[in-house]
Amino acid sequence: MKKVWKGFAAAVSAAAIAATGFIGASAANAAEGDVTVTITDATSADQKFVAYRVLDATNNGENYAYTINTKYSEQLKTATKLSLDGTPEANNAAVTEYIGGLDAAEMKVFADALWIAIANTMPAVDPDVTEFAGKTGGASFSGPQGYYLIRQTGAGANDALSSVIVNTAGQDGVNVKLKKDVPTVEKKVQNVNDSSNTTSDWQDSADHDVNDQVNFKLSGTTASNVNDFKQYKFEFKDTMSAGLTFVQAGATAATTDVTVKIDGTPITSGYTVTLADVSSTPTGAYAGGKVLTVSFADLLAATKAASITLDGDDVVTVEYKATLNENAVIGSDGNPNKVNLTFANDPHYNGAGANQPTGVTPEDEVIVFTYEVNADKVTSSNTPLEGASFALLKWFGGEENVWKVYQHAADGTAAGWVALPSTVTIANKDAIATLPQTEAAKIPGTATAKNKGGKWTVNFPRIDDGDYAIVETVVPAGYNYAAPTQFTITGALVTTQPTGQPITGTWGAPITSNEDVTVSNGTISASIVNNAGNQLPSTGGMGTTILYAAGAAIVLIAGIGLAVTLRRRQA
């Protein structure tokens, strides 16, 4: 047997632990007999491990002796590239000297090579410690003193498989902590305000008009040890609710319908893009939705072909557009959109077998809200009034600087904002306040209809924040034209999802600038008042003054006429 100093053995153990996927090791004082190894943060039953005691160890005071466990002779020969064709004592000495000379990076390479050699052995080598699983307090096993290769064989959804070498010689117990090195995923959306011509940063919630194209961004990070993998699957699975429609140029989704970048550098090949129906299982917000999948079968191969270098913790982004459609939910329930990331989680997978071992990140979710404007017609006594038509106008700032009119969906016509007729003249944004009835009558409006509450109303569904005007385009017979009702809708959304809260927690009811315009959930309501007939002049008014002046003129003319007549008679 080969004897080694205690301090030397401890150094090997520390280097091994630091290099091969576990961190935070601690050990008790030297002891004889069995040792207990505990993986302290392996608390899930999904986390499973086996252990191979590749070297046996005994101690004698300050010295340890290591001998090759002969069932692993061939695997150690492969991993160390040593001939190991000498006497047992010489082979023990060669392996101990080889391992003792490794630094942390080299120890990691050795651990990987040793596991691959064991995994590729046929018939399979049985582990010295059969499968043990995570539990409260951590996954643990007890066994003879030795030099163990611990292999993780099972992982939770958001976990990666690891291998570690642990030296237990002379220790009562060894505690190790899993080194978590798994990808992450994040989803964001942008808000656009047409009236101010502004676009927000990437955030967790937004509001949009019907048929707006909404910008979405997915961001996934690779594992820091991505270059240790032989093959690296990296797949975004994005689920849209039924109120969102993926924007694609052709009949099927294509790579050109998304923009993919790796650390900011565009990549246009090496991945696939597919769009499918949500399975029949989901209910609620995602029922009837679509699933967009952007998948790299091997991110390493794709980046190599594109001359992009991966350094670990690389950021892969996918940007795409989806239209807020006429199925979009109005109000606080909103239209959610979520993503998860499937990733390779076993750096030792060499491509053999049908399926690469993978993990899946937790989902990240964003939401798009939309509102509705209701305009109802009443008399000055607040009695519902039939016979009016209304148009909803919205100001579009920036280079356009025009008012546009809301168009309801009809056969062959999508709902949304369209240009005013060329015959309508509204000089600027402020001119809407004094829009005359003659111009208002040229704007295509929608007739009121009696609702369940007995009001004569027009609904303008699925609008967002901005500056608006409700214009009366047809005035009920016998009533006066009502000037446009102006108001601004300001979103009150929480743009960052509250920790631990559902995405609907980002909802805040919109605010309006006009106190006569009310808000309930996502519905903005205005009552447009008409006064009956042409107003007659009243006492003290201008009309009275005109009558008094006309009467005085008549009296004066009569007086002059009478004077002239009398003078003629006298003559």
Side-chain angles (χ1 to χ4, degrees):
M1 293 190 295
K2 175 68 177 178
K3 293 184 177 180
V4 249
W5 293 108
K6 178 180 178 181
F8 170 78
V12 172
S13 178
I17 291 168
T20 55
F22 288 66
I23 58 174
S26 60
N29 294 327
E32 296 285 354
D34 286 357
V35 64
T36 297
V37 176
T38 302
I39 305 167
T40 57
D41 60 342
T43 57
S44 167
D46 293 329
Q47 297 170 293
K48 296 179 172 61
F49 307 86
V50 294
Y52 303 85
R53 192 176 67 256
V54 294
L55 299 177
D56 294 314
T58 58
N59 71 298
N60 181 15
E62 294 296 312
N63 297 325
Y64 302 110
Y66 293 89
T67 57
I68 296 172
N69 186 341
T70 54
K71 68 188 283 189
Y72 302 111
S73 295
E74 290 302 313
Q75 292 80 4
L76 283 167
K77 183 177 179 179
T78 300
T80 62
K81 296 183 173 59
L82 298 173
S83 61
L84 300 183
D85 55 1
T87 64
E89 288 77 8
N91 291 343
N92 292 337
V95 169
T96 304
E97 183 176 357
Y98 173 85
I99 295 173
L102 299 177
D103 61 22
E106 293 167 335
M107 180 63 75
K108 186 179 187 311
V109 173
F110 167 65
D112 288 346
L114 181 57
W115 163 246
I116 291 172
I118 291 174
N120 290 339
T121 300
M122 291 297 171
V125 179
D126 293 329
D128 297 279
V129 180
T130 56
E131 189 172 82
F132 57 103
K135 61 183 186 302
T136 302
S140 63
F141 74 89
S142 296
Q145 303 279 346
Y147 202 73
Y148 285 87
L149 173 69
I150 301 175
R151 170 65 182 173
Q152 187 173 359
T153 57
N158 186 33
D159 201 356
L161 300 177
S162 302
S163 298
V164 62
I165 287 181
V166 177
N167 181 18
T168 68
Q171 301 173 38
D172 251 344
V174 177
N175 292 336
V176 293
K177 186 176 181 180
L178 286 170
K179 182 181 179 181
K180 293 287 186 180
D181 187 12
V182 295
T184 60
V185 71
E186 181 181 70
K187 185 177 181 99
K188 296 294 180 183
V189 63
Q190 283 184 316
N191 189 73
V192 176
N193 186 306
D194 299 316
S195 298
S196 61
N197 192 37
T198 55
T199 300
S200 73
D201 292 332
W202 295 105
Q203 53 194 44
D204 289 336
S205 64
D207 55 31
H208 278 276
D209 292 312
V210 65
N211 283 315
D212 271 358
Q213 289 193 352
V214 184
N215 298 323
F216 291 99
K217 183 178 183 179
L218 318 176
S219 299
T221 59
T222 67
S224 61
N225 64 332
V226 63
N227 288 309
D228 293 336
F229 286 74
K230 316 301 183 294
Q231 184 177 330
Y232 197 70
K233 182 173 183 175
F234 202 78
E235 180 179 278
F236 295 94
K237 192 174 293 291
D238 185 274
T239 306
M240 292 170 249
S241 53
L244 295 163
T245 303
F246 178 66
V247 175
Q248 58 191 55
T252 58
T255 57
T256 51
D257 295 322
V258 298
T259 300
V260 182
K261 296 180 181 179
I262 299 176
D263 290 332
T265 300
I267 184 170
T268 57
S269 60
Y271 58 90
T272 59
V273 176
T274 58
L275 188 69
D277 293 335
V278 169
S279 68
S280 58
T281 304
T283 58
Y286 291 101
K290 295 286 185 179
V291 178
L292 173 69
T293 303
V294 180
S295 181
F296 287 89
D298 187 355
L299 184 63
L300 293 168
T303 52
K304 183 178 180 180
S307 300
I308 297 174
T309 301
L310 295 180
D311 300 313
D313 295 321
D314 306 275
V315 179
V316 182
T317 60
V318 176
E319 293 184 33
Y320 72 89
K321 297 180 185 293
T323 301
L324 187 81
N325 62 45
E326 293 175 28
N327 295 318
V329 176
I330 296 168
S332 59
D333 288 341
N335 303 275
N337 189 324
K338 62 184 179 180
V339 68
N340 63 33
L341 178 69
T342 299
F343 57 91
N345 69 353
D346 184 1
H348 302 106
Y349 176 73
N350 59 8
N355 297 307
Q356 182 178 18
T358 57
V360 182
T361 65
E363 293 174 337
D364 192 35
E365 196 171 27
V366 299
I367 193 166
V368 179
F369 296 103
T370 191
Y371 317 127
E372 177 177 78
V373 168
N374 289 344
D376 65 275
K377 173 57 66 176
V378 295
T379 67
S380 57
S381 59
N382 203 35
T383 301
L385 180 61
E386 183 181 1
S389 291
F390 293 117
L392 181 66
L393 273 60
K394 182 180 183 181
W395 178 254
F396 283 73
E399 293 182 0
E400 290 190 271
N401 274 333
V402 294
W403 287 98
K404 292 185 179 181
V405 61
Y406 184 93
Q407 172 180 267
H408 284 86
D411 291 342
T413 303
W417 301 101
V418 297
L420 289 169
S422 59
T423 55
V424 177
T425 301
I426 306 177
N428 51 48
K429 184 178 181 181
D430 295 334
I432 193 71
T434 56
L435 184 71
Q437 183 179 358
T438 53
E439 292 296 306
K442 301 175 187 176
I443 300 173
T446 302
T448 58
K450 197 170 187 178
N451 66 16
K452 292 180 180 179
K455 292 184 177 181
W456 290 90
T457 302
V458 178
N459 302 324
F460 301 95
R462 301 178 182 86
I463 55 92
D464 65 356
D465 53 358
D467 299 327
Y468 291 89
I470 299 173
V471 175
E472 187 175 32
T473 58
V474 175
V475 181
Y479 286 83
N480 298 316
Y481 166 70
T485 298
Q486 293 180 258
F487 56 95
T488 297
I489 298 175
T490 303
L493 306 179
V494 179
T495 55
T496 301
Q497 182 178 8
T499 303
Q501 297 296 312
I503 193 63
T504 50
T506 58
W507 166 258
I511 301 167
T512 67
S513 60
N514 188 331
E515 63 182 14
D516 294 326
V517 177
T518 62
V519 178
S520 176
N521 196 358
T523 299
I524 296 96
S525 299
S527 293
I528 312 302
V529 179
N530 277 129
N531 292 309
N534 296 319
Q535 290 184 341
L536 295 175
S538 57
T539 303
M542 186 64 181
T544 304
T545 303
I546 293 172
L547 289 175
Y548 287 161
I554 292 170
V555 171
L556 178 60
I557 293 170
I560 293 172
L562 180 60
V564 171
T565 302
L566 289 173
R567 186 171 294 180
R568 284 178 179 174
R569 288 179 179 178
Q570 290 174 356

